Amino acid sequence: MDEKLSFFKDGFRLDGRRPDELRPIKIEVGVLARADGSCYMEMGDNKVIAAVYGPREVHPRHLQEVSRAIVRYRYNMASFSVEDRKRPGPDRRSYEVSKVSREALEPVILTSYFPKSVVDIFVEVLQADAGTRTAGINAASVALADAGIPMKCLISSCAAGKVDGEIVLDPMKFEDNFGEADVPIAMTPGGDFTLLQMDGRLAPEELKRALELAKTGCQQIYEVQRTALVDRYSSIEEQESCDEAEVEIYE
Ligand code: ADP
């Protein structure tokens, strides 16, 4: 007979978090020299990299839109990103994740500024531990800003889940696999949702609680995204003023 799985120990989750706590986040901006914008992000044991190219000419040409840029998003999981090797190449799940992730970001990109062009977003998952679509969206949002793509605002994304009857923030793989529900969202800093998905079963009150919790998670992620961008660009400004000073000294 199956033993009942345990998700909590002394009120804490198996990775030591409180129910309303995010996993540790790390963001590095501008990590790829050949992309127009890029970002490396860790959310707990998830490791993802996002690269943005554009706005640039659309190929194939028949995809061109006369009045706006199109946005393409490719989410890919590396074969070595999961425990058992993942079969390389696109599959149903990666098409779905790519589609919802693009739709999570497109509403804030000012596509009408760049008619007949394309903004390409690539997200590579190097290590997966549940929540890779949300990590990918967060990294892509920062990479878009790094590429200088005009946007109304950043997008932040995270999930809430239900384990052992309790609503928890940012489920890790064990909680996602064996829990009762998973609700990933993405939103603007103003609280407008651009992604809302749900796996599993929740009562209306539980869904409300999950959305509230996920919203607090997105607010915290937004602060980290914003700080990473500010740090990146203030350090570039500092570097530039140092370079100027050196020029003055040695000229
Ligand atoms: P997300 O990563 O956005 O939470 P899912 O809920 O579909 O998306 O997947 C949850 C987790 O299951 C992934 O983060 C990954 O750890 C694992 N997973 C997904 N697809 C595969 C796969 N093909 N092989 C092994 N593990 C996978």
Side-chain angles (χ1 to χ4, degrees):
M1 214 178 90
D2 280 353
E3 256 186 62
K4 192 176 176 300
L5 287 170
S6 163
F7 292 93
F8 293 97
K9 193 165 179 279
D10 305 326
F12 290 93
R13 291 153 75 180
L14 298 184
D15 57 6
R17 283 182 291 159
R18 294 186 310 271
D20 62 352
E21 210 175 317
L22 286 172
R23 288 173 282 185
I25 298 171
K26 183 180 156 188
I27 295 182
E28 267 180 65
V29 188
V31 289
L32 300 174
R34 279 184 252 300
D36 295 315
S38 58
C39 174
Y40 168 75
M41 173 153 195
E42 292 179 7
M43 274 175 84
D45 284 338
N46 291 302
K47 296 183 180 184
V48 302
I49 200 152
V52 167
Y53 295 82
R56 62 183 179 180
E57 212 171 295
V58 187
H59 292 289
R61 282 269 169 85
H62 67 86
L63 294 176
Q64 262 185 10
E65 288 285 342
V66 185
S67 57
R68 63 172 180 91
I70 60 164
V71 178
R72 291 189 293 214
Y73 190 112
R74 197 195 73 171
Y75 163 101
N76 181 56
M77 267 182 137
S79 318
F80 53 79
S81 64
V82 288
E83 244 165 75
D84 303 316
R85 177 179 176 275
K86 183 202 163 276
R87 193 160 172 242
D91 51 24
R92 275 178 62 127
R93 178 178 170 278
S94 68
Y95 281 123
E96 179 238 349
V97 176
S98 299
K99 177 182 184 290
V100 298
S101 304
R102 173 177 56 74
E103 289 171 350
L105 293 163
E106 208 169 8
V108 299
I109 302 174
L110 297 169
T111 52
S112 62
Y113 285 20
F114 306 101
K116 296 185 182 172
S117 56
V118 59
V119 175
D120 277 311
I121 306 166
F122 299 91
V123 167
E124 294 290 321
V125 178
L126 308 177
Q127 190 168 288
D129 192 64
T132 56
R133 79 193 60 202
T134 60
I137 292 168
N138 291 326
S141 173
V142 172
L144 283 164
D146 183 43
I149 307 285
M151 291 192 286
K152 292 179 194 161
C153 55
L154 287 173
I155 291 290
S156 310
S157 178
C158 77
K162 181 181 171 189
V163 292
D164 217 359
E166 185 155 352
I167 304 298
V168 295
L169 183 59
D170 189 21
M172 40 86 165
K173 189 156 188 307
F174 180 78
E175 295 169 331
D176 183 273
N177 282 176
F178 303 108
E180 291 133 80
D182 181 31
V183 186
I185 69 160
M187 66 172 216
T188 65
D192 290 329
F193 283 27
T194 59
L195 167 83
L196 172 54
Q197 294 187 286
M198 186 171 117
D199 238 359
R201 286 162 67 96
L202 288 177
E205 273 313 305
E206 289 173 330
L207 177 60
K208 205 170 155 213
R209 168 78 187 128
L211 294 178
E212 274 166 16
L213 202 53
K215 253 179 136 168
T216 64
C218 287
Q219 283 158 356
Q220 293 171 55
I221 292 166
Y222 171 71
E223 288 306 326
V224 185
Q225 290 171 304
R226 201 178 151 275
T227 308
L229 282 163
V230 169
D231 286 353
R232 161 81 175 158
Y233 285 98
S234 54
S235 68
I236 286 178
E237 267 171 31
E238 268 168 32
Q239 182 59 44
E240 277 172 0
S241 55
C242 287
D243 292 347
E244 277 165 25
E246 277 170 30
V247 171
E248 273 169 31
I249 294 163
Y250 296 111
E251 256 174 3

